[in-house]
């Protein structure tokens, strides 16, 4: 466990590009909002709440850590099982931090921005998480981001393998076939309602965590066979 924890710390430190990308996106967004407000006035344009841009950070790490740091960590003496454990440690720690920041900003900064006339889009409102209170909103967003990171992590690791191509084709087929037909589109809506918009927050949380655990466990297959 200690080795996995150390590998998680290395992974977090070595994914500087994800910090840079989120920082640039956040800076550009804030600059754009200031310029738009100065020229056109408050409420002239919708903008995403600045705390929501932080959600990009764990998602980027779920792509960069398995794609760029596996060989490096193995050459440093790490074991494959430790890499498997370290990735989820890194993702969960970052998800907890960014979700906590977003949860704190919701009742503190966002009311001030709304009162000033800014028209901001807050994902916790869009998803309906805040309707259940701050504690459940935090857990719901944490669970949803965990599922998202587990999916990205596993999809990244299986790229270039035959079963990776099969999964890619299946995803494209589902999007291409299910989206145009109303009867099939209902199935997609049903699935997203389960993992995001379900009225029972406990059901949504449990589904995200169970699906996330299942998808993340599947990533052990490419990790065990991945070349160093």
């Amino acid at each position: 466990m200690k080795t996995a924890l150390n590998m998680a710390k290395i992974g977090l430190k070595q994914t500087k590009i994800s910090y840079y990308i989120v920082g640039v996106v956040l800076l550009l967004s804030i600059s754009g909002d200031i310029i738009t407000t100065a020229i056109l006035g408050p409420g002239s344009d919708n903008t995403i709440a600045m705390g929501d841009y932080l959600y990009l950070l764990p998602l980027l790490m779920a792509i960069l850590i398995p794609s760029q740091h596996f060989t490096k960590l193995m050459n440093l003496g790490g074991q494959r099982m430790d890499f498997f454990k370290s990735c989820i440690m890194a993702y969960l720690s970052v998800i907890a931090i960014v979700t906590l920041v977003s949860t704190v900003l919701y009742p503190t900064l966002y009311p001030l921005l709304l009162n000033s006339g800014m028209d901001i889009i807050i994902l916790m409102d869009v998803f309906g998480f805040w309707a259940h209170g701050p504690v459940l909103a935090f857990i719901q967003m944490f669970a949803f981001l965990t599922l998202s990171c587990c999916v990205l992590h596993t999809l990244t690791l299986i790229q270039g393998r035959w079963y990776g191509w099969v999964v890619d084709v299946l995803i494209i087929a589902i999007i291409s076939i299910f989206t145009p037909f109303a009867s099939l589109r209902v199935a997609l809506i049903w699935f997203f309602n389960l993992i995001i918009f379900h009225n029972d927050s406990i059901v949504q949380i449990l589904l995200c965590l169970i699906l996330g655990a299942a998808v993340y466990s599947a990533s052990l297959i490419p990790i065990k066979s991945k070349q160093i």
Side-chain angles (χ1 to χ4, degrees):
M1 186 59 72
K2 184 178 180 180
T3 304
L5 182 60
N6 290 332
M7 290 174 71
K9 292 178 181 177
I10 294 173
L12 289 172
K13 290 179 181 177
Q14 296 299 318
T15 51
K16 293 178 181 176
I17 188 169
S18 57
Y19 300 110
Y20 295 150
I21 291 174
V22 173
V24 169
V25 170
L26 189 57
L27 184 62
L28 290 175
S29 172
I30 294 173
S31 302
D33 292 341
I34 293 174
I35 293 172
T36 303
T37 302
I39 295 175
L40 302 176
S44 54
D45 193 16
N46 292 330
T47 183
I48 296 175
M50 60 184 68
D52 289 354
Y53 286 105
L54 297 176
Y55 297 145
L56 287 172
L57 191 57
L59 301 178
L60 287 171
M61 287 182 172
I63 298 172
L64 294 174
I65 289 178
S67 64
Q68 297 186 354
H69 297 287
F70 175 78
T71 302
K72 186 186 301 181
L73 291 171
M74 291 301 102
N75 288 330
L76 289 174
Q79 300 297 317
R80 294 173 188 267
M81 184 56 74
D82 289 327
F83 178 79
F84 174 76
K85 296 175 183 175
S86 71
C87 289
I88 193 65
M89 288 179 183
Y91 305 150
L92 292 180
S93 62
V94 176
I95 289 171
I97 292 171
V98 300
T99 306
L100 180 61
V101 171
S102 183
T103 305
V104 171
L105 289 177
Y106 189 98
T108 54
L109 178 63
Y110 297 157
L112 297 176
L113 296 177
L114 290 169
N115 289 335
S116 70
M118 289 188 67
D119 192 4
I120 58 174
I121 299 170
I122 307 169
L123 287 184
M124 282 199 181
D125 279 339
V126 175
F127 292 167
F129 294 166
W130 198 262
H132 305 116
V135 175
L136 276 179
F138 170 86
I139 299 173
Q140 285 188 272
M141 185 59 81
F142 180 89
F144 177 68
L145 286 175
T146 298
L147 171 59
S148 302
C149 285
C150 290
V151 171
L152 289 174
H153 166 90
T154 303
L155 283 177
T156 301
L157 279 169
I158 64 176
Q159 295 308 305
R161 300 175 179 278
W162 68 266
Y163 46 83
W165 288 108
V166 171
V167 172
D168 291 343
V169 170
L170 281 175
I171 292 174
I172 294 171
I174 289 173
I175 295 173
S176 303
I177 297 173
F178 279 56
T179 304
F181 299 100
S183 57
L184 296 176
R185 196 162 55 242
V186 171
L188 280 180
I189 294 172
W190 172 81
F191 176 72
F192 285 111
N193 276 334
L194 282 179
I195 63 169
I196 303 177
F197 302 109
H198 199 283
N199 292 329
D200 190 332
S201 56
I202 303 301
V203 172
Q204 183 264 337
I205 291 167
L206 289 177
L207 277 172
C208 285
L209 294 179
I210 292 171
L211 281 174
V215 173
Y216 191 79
S217 297
S219 74
L220 193 55
I221 298 172
I223 287 176
K224 284 185 175 179
S225 59
K226 190 175 179 63
Q227 292 183 344
I228 299 176

